[in-house]
């Protein structure tokens, strides 16, 4: 079941200043009071900085930014069991929430997931370097960034600067690596997915796709209370949206072919050497374990009991994590972001996860009822 | 010096350890390359133990347990079977190779089967050569 609308805010200031009609801001404003926590992101200073906020009343809503492309944060960590939470998140956050539901850390009934379409996020440090080298801009000049039609566009007060994202990424800038080969752009596991794909140019509206009854209820009550307004989208632009989605997915496939497939095509010995060498700078800080949204054993966590100073060819800590995440890595890239010695951990985890997906067809983070093929407790085939 | 495989074998207490015992008391010959570690159940074999064996230089790892349906703890070996399949995928992607891991169901009466599977596995590892993680002086 899924229904599509164009939606916009009824508050003049939000409609004018909001990214695309302020629909998400007004929708979450309508949810304050209904939920224990209403969580989103607010810009602080430049577009490269922001913080997570828990909205308490209508005055908090101003300045809420649904999508901050350069804020690498996993929103799923802000959902606490037993608290009714409405949260705005990107597709990989949503997959993390689903994985947490499987592990009984989150109840489906407690959360309202408002997803945002996502074409990829940017690493702040790399982006500032790129602004300097490629765009010749200062970070504080930038008022808005956007990925559109294969271009990465930065807006200043009175001008816009656009460059091909392919060329940027070839030279090492652009989106984070895990975003380049991520092929999940519209968060269909959420209750509602919002975005600016498939909206008329300059129309100041948000394209809203509703997937669940709960999402429908939330939008309907927001309309009834006069927070937002919706109308049916034109058929042509619905097509445009799905076209954008499929072209993004095509790009993701070609990136997977450039990053992951060459490693898989190595001979087993070379692949083993690649993995061993990539992991060798590890200093055993466990930051990747702490930043991982799906890895959340508490108390007697086995990984943390491994000796960080073992002299094994692959640190046993990583050997176990590669094993565990083979069926649950959602590819959010947080591990790469936090690594102090810049090990491309997400690439390794995705290498295992994607290969496992190709072999078994199992995709993590897609449904809370999906159980990984070899964790069902029955006898596997051939035994 | 020719290559002698070093194989770690995880045996369950109730069936496969009995099988190894049976092979011994029946004077059945099998290669001395296996180092036997006894578990109360094959379901206790944490994938981590298998990984550690490889990381510490084992050329091959054998997991053995009671036949499906015969587990002393009813369904312990279902878990073994699942973990074995999962580990095979993992070792394959990692590059060590799924061939270096073997799962064998041996009842306490199958001393001959135990000896034969150890012999066959040792020969397989001998053909595969040393554990690739060991090269480089480890």
């Amino acid at each position: 079941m899924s229904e599509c609308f164009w939606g916009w805010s009824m508050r003049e200031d939000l409609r004018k200043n909001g990214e695309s009609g302020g629909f998400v801001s007004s929708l979450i404003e309508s949810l304050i009071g209904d939920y224990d926590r209403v969580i989103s992101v607010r810009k602080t200073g430049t577009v490269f900085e922001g913080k997570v906020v828990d909205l308490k009343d209508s005055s908090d809503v101003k300045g809420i930014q649904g999508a901050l492309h350069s804020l690498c944060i996993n929103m799923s960590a802000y959902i606490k069991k037993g608290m009714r939470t409405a949260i705005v998140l990107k597709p990989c956050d949503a997959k993390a929430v689903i994985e947490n539901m499987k592990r009984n850390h989150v109840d489906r009934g407690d959360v309202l997931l408002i997803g945002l379409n996502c074409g990829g996020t940017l690493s702040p440090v790399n982006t500032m370097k790129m602004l300097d080298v490629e765009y010749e801009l200062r970070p504080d000049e930038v008022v808005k960034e956007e990925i559109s039609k294969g271009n990465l566009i930065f807006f200043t007060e009175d001008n816009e600067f656009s460059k091909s994202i392919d060329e940027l990424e070839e030279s090492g800038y652009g989106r984070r690596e895990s975003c380049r080969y991520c092929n999940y752009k519209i968060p269909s596991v959420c209750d509602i997915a919002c975005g600016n794909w498939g909206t008329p140019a300059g129309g100041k509206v948000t394209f809203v796709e509703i997937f669940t009854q709960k999402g429908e209820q939330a939008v309907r009550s927001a309309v009834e209370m006069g927070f937002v307004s919706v109308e049916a989208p034109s058929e042509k632009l619905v097509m445009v949206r799905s076209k954008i989605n499929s072209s993004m997915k095509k790009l993701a496939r070609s990136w997977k072919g450039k990053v992951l497939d060459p490693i898989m095509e190595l001979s087993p010995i070379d692949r083993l050497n690649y993995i061993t060498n990539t992991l060798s700078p590890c200093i055993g800080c466990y930051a990747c374990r702490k930043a991982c949204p799906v890895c959340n054993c508490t108390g007697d966590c086995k990984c943390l009991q491994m000796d960080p100073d073992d002299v094994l060819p692959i640190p046993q800590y990583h050997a176990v994590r590669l094993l565990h995440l083979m069926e649950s890595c959602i590819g959010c890239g947080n591990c790469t972001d936090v690594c102090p010695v810049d090990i491309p951990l997400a690439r390794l985890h995705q290498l295992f996860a994607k290969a496992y997906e190709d072999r078994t067809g199992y995709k993590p983070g897609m449904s809370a009822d999906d159980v990984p093929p070899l964790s069902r407790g029955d006898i596997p085939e051939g035994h | 010096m020719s290559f002698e495989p070093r194989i770690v074998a995880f045996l369950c207490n109730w069936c496969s350890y009995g099988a190894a015992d049976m092979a011994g008391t029946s004077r059945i010959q099998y290669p001395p390359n296996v180092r036997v570690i006894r578990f109360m159940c094959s379901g206790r074999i944490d994938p981590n133990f298998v990984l550690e064996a490889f990381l510490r230089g084992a050329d091959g790892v054998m997991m053995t347990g009671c036949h499906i349906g015969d587990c002393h703890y009813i369904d312990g070996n279902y878990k073994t079977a699942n973990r074995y399949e999962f580990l095979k995928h993992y070792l394959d992607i990692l590059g060590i190779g799924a061939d270096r891991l073997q799962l064998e169901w041996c009842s306490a009466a199958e001393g001959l089967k135990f000896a034969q599977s150890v012999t066959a596995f040792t020969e397989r590892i001998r053909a595969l050569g040393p554990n690739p993680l060991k090269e480089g002086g480890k």
Side-chain angles (χ1 to χ4, degrees):
Chain A
M1 160 190 152
S2 110
E3 279 178 281
C4 298
F5 296 101
W6 280 338
W8 59 88
S9 169
M10 295 301 274
R11 251 172 76 173
E12 269 314 308
D13 58 331
L14 290 179
R15 177 135 204 222
K16 206 159 128 273
N17 299 325
E19 196 84 343
S20 32
F23 176 82
V24 175
S25 304
S26 279
L27 179 65
I28 56 178
E29 185 183 352
S30 78
L31 298 168
I32 297 172
D34 259 10
Y35 283 83
D36 297 336
R37 294 174 115 184
V38 178
I39 295 176
S40 185
V41 172
R42 174 181 289 140
K43 193 164 83 175
T44 57
T46 67
V47 290
F48 307 103
E49 296 158 282
K51 65 174 183 184
V52 178
V53 283
D54 179 4
L55 305 175
K56 291 292 178 221
D57 58 61
S58 298
S59 62
D60 288 344
V61 175
K62 203 160 183 295
I64 285 300
Q65 202 94 6
L68 272 177
H69 285 116
S70 306
L71 194 65
C72 311
I73 196 164
N74 202 302
M75 300 291 284
S76 67
Y78 295 89
I79 300 178
K80 295 276 175 276
K81 195 177 164 85
M83 283 197 120
R84 280 172 55 75
T85 308
I87 189 162
V88 183
L89 25 66
K90 57 185 185 300
C92 53
D93 299 341
K95 284 203 279 186
V97 175
I98 298 294
E99 281 298 302
N100 282 330
M101 282 173 195
K102 286 184 197 170
R103 289 161 180 70
N104 208 14
H105 287 295
V106 176
D107 290 328
R108 188 71 178 103
D110 281 347
V111 289
L112 179 73
L113 306 176
I114 304 166
L116 301 170
N117 301 345
C118 175
T121 53
L122 313 162
S123 147
V125 175
N126 202 11
T127 305
M128 302 220 184
K129 206 163 39 168
M130 171 175 72
L131 278 178
D132 188 28
V133 177
E134 299 274 342
Y135 289 82
E136 294 173 358
L137 286 171
R138 286 199 321 274
D140 55 353
E141 284 179 305
V142 177
V143 292
K144 192 182 152 191
E145 19 81 77
E146 200 181 288
I147 298 168
S148 167
K149 296 199 178 80
N151 288 319
L152 179 59
I153 311 163
F154 287 97
F155 296 85
T156 58
E157 284 295 345
D158 44 328
N159 220 333
E160 64 173 81
F161 299 85
S162 168
K163 269 187 195 290
S164 154
I165 206 157
D166 282 342
E167 286 168 25
L168 288 172
E169 283 170 4
E170 290 298 341
S171 50
Y173 299 115
R175 295 169 298 163
R176 293 153 75 225
E177 187 183 290
S178 47
C179 298
R180 295 177 193 167
Y181 50 74
C182 165
N183 63 1
Y184 191 55
K185 308 294 186 188
I186 296 177
S188 54
V189 295
C190 290
D191 297 302
I192 309 164
C194 306
N196 61 359
W197 302 351
T199 56
K204 284 277 177 195
V205 296
T206 305
F207 194 105
V208 186
E209 187 169 4
I210 298 172
F211 295 100
T212 64
Q213 207 115 41
K214 200 153 82 179
E216 192 196 335
Q217 229 165 19
V219 174
R220 191 186 298 136
S221 71
V223 171
E224 279 165 7
M225 289 190 293
F227 284 98
V228 297
S229 186
V230 293
E231 65 172 32
S234 80
E235 213 133 289
K236 196 178 130 224
L237 285 164
V238 175
M239 288 300 291
V240 168
R241 177 175 180 262
S242 68
K243 226 186 236 165
I244 297 176
N245 189 26
S246 55
S247 73
M248 291 300 275
K249 283 187 174 181
K250 213 171 117 196
L251 186 65
R253 266 199 301 278
S254 91
W255 266 109
K256 179 176 173 278
K258 273 187 261 187
V259 181
L260 298 179
D261 294 353
I263 309 175
M264 262 334 268
E265 283 157 13
L266 291 173
S267 73
I269 304 280
D270 289 343
R271 190 160 64 241
L272 185 63
N273 284 337
Y274 172 81
I275 294 169
T276 318
N277 295 339
T278 312
L279 288 171
S280 64
C282 177
I283 55 170
C285 69
Y286 301 140
C288 45
R289 149 76 175 75
K290 285 167 196 153
C292 183
V294 298
C295 184
N296 48 22
C297 302
T298 46
D300 54 353
C301 165
K302 218 175 257 176
C303 306
L304 295 182
Q305 287 162 16
M306 299 295 167
D307 181 5
D309 300 324
D310 60 19
V311 288
L312 302 174
I314 299 173
Q316 210 178 346
Y317 161 73
H318 285 298
V320 175
R321 272 181 56 79
L322 285 170
L323 179 89
H324 282 188
L325 288 173
M326 189 162 84
E327 59 172 18
S328 53
C329 176
I330 49 162
C332 67
N334 279 14
C335 40
T336 307
D337 288 337
V338 297
C339 183
V341 286
D342 285 340
I343 301 173
L345 285 157
R347 191 190 299 163
L348 296 183
H349 288 303
Q350 278 294 294
L351 180 75
F352 281 78
K354 290 275 193 241
Y356 188 67
E357 185 186 315
D358 291 344
R359 285 153 179 247
T360 60
Y362 170 76
K363 282 186 186 151
M366 285 304 167
S367 157
D369 304 323
D370 269 359
V371 181
L374 293 172
S375 303
R376 289 180 190 142
D378 51 3
I379 308 162
E381 261 173 68
H383 288 275
Chain B
M1 216 180 86
S2 70
F3 163 63
E4 274 302 327
R6 254 197 277 183
I7 294 166
V8 176
F10 297 124
L11 271 56
C12 92
N13 181 53
W14 302 101
C15 294
S16 35
Y17 198 83
D21 212 22
M22 180 75 163
T25 50
S26 317
R27 305 278 193 274
I28 304 169
Q29 299 273 329
Y30 62 88
N33 302 50
V34 290
R35 275 75 166 160
V36 169
I37 299 174
R38 177 162 63 160
F39 286 77
M40 283 310 282
C41 176
S42 61
R44 176 66 180 85
I45 306 170
D46 190 321
N48 201 14
F49 300 156
V50 177
L51 290 184
E52 187 164 351
F54 280 119
L55 290 172
R56 292 192 186 279
D59 299 306
V61 174
M62 267 184 104
M63 302 160 78
T64 59
C66 311
H67 286 274
I68 293 283
D70 288 349
C71 178
H72 191 78
Y73 306 101
I74 299 164
D75 58 359
N77 52 5
Y78 294 12
K79 299 184 179 75
T80 320
N82 279 302
R83 283 171 194 158
Y84 169 68
E85 294 296 334
F86 194 67
L87 273 164
K88 275 210 303 190
H89 286 302
Y90 176 77
L91 293 172
D92 222 20
I93 302 167
L94 184 64
I96 290 178
D99 295 354
R100 292 183 184 272
L101 182 65
Q102 173 78 15
L103 176 67
E104 206 68 58
W105 302 130
C106 299
S107 83
E110 290 176 324
L112 185 62
K113 185 185 177 192
F114 178 80
Q116 281 168 348
S117 56
V118 168
T119 313
F121 188 57
T122 308
E123 288 318 309
R124 190 163 91 200
I125 299 297
R126 200 188 297 280
L128 283 172
N131 178 354
L133 280 171
K134 219 163 42 172
E135 282 171 338
K138 287 254 158 76

